[in-house]
Amino acid sequence: MIAELQCVVLDCPDVVELSRFYQSLLGGVVNRPDPRWSLGDDWATLHTDGGLVLAFQRVEDHRPPQWPDPARPQQFHLDLGVEDLDRAQEDVLDRGAALLDAGGGQRGWRIFADPAGHPFCLVRD
């Protein structure tokens, strides 16, 4: 092993908005003091109860991915496990997500975009 994953960083136009969005999905603490990062207008963190850290970096003129357009690819996405897809879908939409692909009810996952346009999937556990 060469390294240990410290966090996953998402570019976005508003670090507070996106950190609060993911906090509403995953729980945890936004901007918990941590000596590894300086918090501010351009950087926020979410420390989840499970130990995962998501970081949010403000980017001027942020251009979100346009799934499934290869000219503006998703680059990466998060898979979030849920027990009830229908209920979870309702909850993420209420929090500002956008549905990208419901899968026609034929599979165990659905694709959404967060408020900054990053794709993520809700996957039935």
Side-chain angles (χ1 to χ4, degrees):
M1 181 172 88
I2 295 173
E4 186 174 300
L5 180 65
Q6 288 189 343
C7 68
V8 175
V9 181
L10 299 171
D11 290 348
C12 61
D14 184 330
V15 299
V16 173
E17 176 188 39
L18 202 57
S19 63
R20 297 278 182 220
F21 171 79
Y22 279 104
Q23 180 187 39
S24 76
L25 300 183
L26 302 170
V29 178
V30 170
N31 288 340
R32 184 177 86 191
D34 189 314
R36 295 175 290 183
W37 302 290
S38 295
L39 304 172
D41 293 339
D42 295 332
W43 185 268
T45 60
L46 172 62
H47 288 75
T48 68
D49 297 337
L52 173 69
V53 178
L54 293 177
F56 308 92
Q57 178 174 271
R58 190 176 78 76
V59 172
E60 196 74 34
D61 299 323
H62 177 257
R63 293 185 63 217
Q66 295 291 308
W67 184 88
D69 182 357
R72 288 177 56 192
Q74 66 179 331
Q75 300 165 3
F76 79 98
H77 70 274
L78 302 173
D79 283 350
L80 308 176
V82 299
E83 289 184 24
D84 182 328
L85 272 174
D86 293 328
R87 182 174 175 179
Q89 175 174 316
E90 183 178 317
D91 289 344
V92 300
L93 293 175
D94 286 347
R95 288 170 168 80
L99 179 63
L100 298 178
D101 183 352
Q106 302 300 312
R107 59 178 194 234
W109 74 93
R110 297 177 189 159
I111 305 167
F112 300 84
D114 68 23
H118 303 104
F120 69 94
C121 295
L122 295 179
V123 181
R124 185 180 302 117
D125 277 341

